[in-house]
Amino acid sequence: MAYNSKSMSARMNDYMNLRSLPAAIGIVFTVASLYLFGAITGLTFGWGVEYQIADTHALWVSLGAYLLAFASSETRSFDKYDRGEQAMIAAGPLLMLLSQHWTWLVDTMAANSPHFAIVAFLISFGSYAVLVQ
């Protein structure tokens, strides 16, 4: 039997090269953002916990996934993006925050059936896509 002398950091580096962690983060971001913008409603965790996710928690999960995706991206520096990409990257989290805390935006999203919420989700998802390129 061969002995594998790789360190833990080398093993984690190998794991990150598989790009499975960024893909999982993308799934978490997408589901939390869909919930945040109203595409998914009534997300409940069972197994005796019976916890229904709140909009605020979906916001924090989306922003946390966004931050993790930035940390695991190959760029890892805001300065390495061009101006248009920087604006798109900033628009996503800003729109997520404003969708929960700016009354005018909350009312507009509620009044325009799903159209405004769909556009808001697409902007945040596009922002995530630019971030992880």
Side-chain angles (χ1 to χ4, degrees):
M1 181 157 75
Y3 177 71
N4 190 350
S5 63
K6 282 188 177 182
S7 68
M8 182 60 119
S9 64
R11 289 179 196 221
M12 283 303 290
N13 192 24
D14 289 346
Y15 182 72
M16 290 299 288
N17 286 336
L18 294 175
R19 305 291 295 163
S20 58
L21 186 58
I25 293 169
I27 292 168
V28 169
F29 174 81
T30 302
V31 170
S33 295
L34 284 169
Y35 187 86
L36 181 66
F37 292 114
I40 300 173
T41 57
L43 187 59
T44 303
F45 295 102
W47 294 348
V49 177
E50 299 305 323
Y51 168 74
Q52 185 168 358
I53 191 167
D55 290 343
T56 305
H57 297 144
L59 172 66
W60 290 113
V61 169
S62 291
L63 292 174
Y66 201 85
L67 182 64
L68 283 173
F70 182 71
S72 68
S73 74
E74 294 178 10
T75 307
R76 291 189 190 119
S77 176
F78 195 66
D79 297 334
K80 293 185 180 180
Y81 295 98
D82 65 29
R83 292 268 186 216
E85 290 172 331
Q86 288 176 347
M88 187 67 175
I89 290 169
L94 182 65
L95 187 58
M96 288 186 279
L97 285 168
L98 291 177
S99 73
Q100 296 300 304
H101 299 293
W102 189 21
T103 308
W104 177 83
L105 189 58
V106 173
D107 294 342
T108 302
M109 285 177 47
N112 286 325
S113 44
H115 303 327
F116 197 77
I118 290 170
V119 170
F121 170 75
L122 291 175
I123 290 170
S124 69
F125 189 74
S127 172
Y128 182 85
V130 169
L131 177 76
V132 297
Q133 67 178 353

